[in-house]
Amino acid sequence: MDVESPAARYALSRYFSDRAAFMPWMPTDIPFPPTSEFTPPGGEFVVGEIDDAVVACGGIRRIPDSPAGLVRYEAKDVWVDSSIRGQGLGRRLMAELEVRAVGLGAREIVLDTHEVLEAAMKMYVALGYESVPPYNDNPNPTHWFAKSLG
């Protein structure tokens, strides 16, 4: 989905709003990602809807290959509406992002997150993500994860 679409803009706005509520010390002037970042083959963006209501989003974007030379994509802007968390939508969203990453040639998917997002971190571990050293210089996360995609 185009990140400029109304559904994607709405989802990203909600993601940024929720992020500010959970982590008020984080910057709030976050720019929307450029369309090119989530356009194949550089990436993709997904919006989840239930009964025509936007309730989730997430994207993958191509980043430099892993130190082992694996084609790597990063999961970004993963959000599930608080009213439906705990119902498995986050797991389904991550599975969809992984499928799309594989479709673009990924052999590894990575993500960064903050320790205050305990439920998300537990979900990532339950989905097979393993803790790795920082793969980027983002000053905001406290944890970095990776998962082999075959």
Side-chain angles (χ1 to χ4, degrees):
M1 172 173 280
D2 185 346
V3 294
E4 297 291 328
S5 73
R9 298 292 272 189
Y10 174 80
L12 285 165
S13 293
R14 293 288 312 280
Y15 163 71
F16 294 142
S17 175
D18 280 4
R19 191 174 107 159
F22 274 99
M23 298 175 280
W25 63 89
M26 299 271 286
T28 56
D29 58 343
I30 304 161
F32 282 89
T35 298
S36 61
E37 193 168 281
F38 293 116
T39 301
E44 291 194 37
F45 196 77
V46 175
V47 171
E49 296 183 21
I50 296 177
D51 297 328
D52 296 324
V54 173
V55 295
C57 72
I60 52 165
R61 66 179 181 181
R62 179 82 159 87
I63 62 171
D65 291 351
S66 74
L70 299 175
V71 173
R72 186 164 37 171
Y73 278 75
E74 179 182 39
K76 291 295 296 177
D77 305 332
V78 175
W79 166 79
V80 174
D81 188 278
S82 60
S83 69
I84 61 166
R85 289 186 189 141
Q87 298 180 30
L89 186 56
R91 288 173 179 266
R92 292 194 313 267
L93 175 61
M94 290 304 298
E96 180 65 22
L97 294 176
E98 291 170 13
V99 165
R100 290 179 185 233
V102 168
L104 293 171
R107 304 284 291 162
E108 180 178 64
I109 189 167
V110 296
L111 59 89
D112 59 29
T113 191
H114 197 279
E115 62 194 9
V116 299
L117 303 174
E118 292 177 41
M121 289 181 37
K122 287 179 183 176
M123 178 188 70
Y124 298 137
V125 170
L127 292 174
Y129 286 78
E130 297 179 356
S131 184
V132 294
Y135 61 84
N136 60 25
D137 60 359
N138 184 348
N140 300 315
T142 58
H143 292 75
W144 290 260
F145 292 95
K147 180 178 181 179
S148 173
L149 296 176

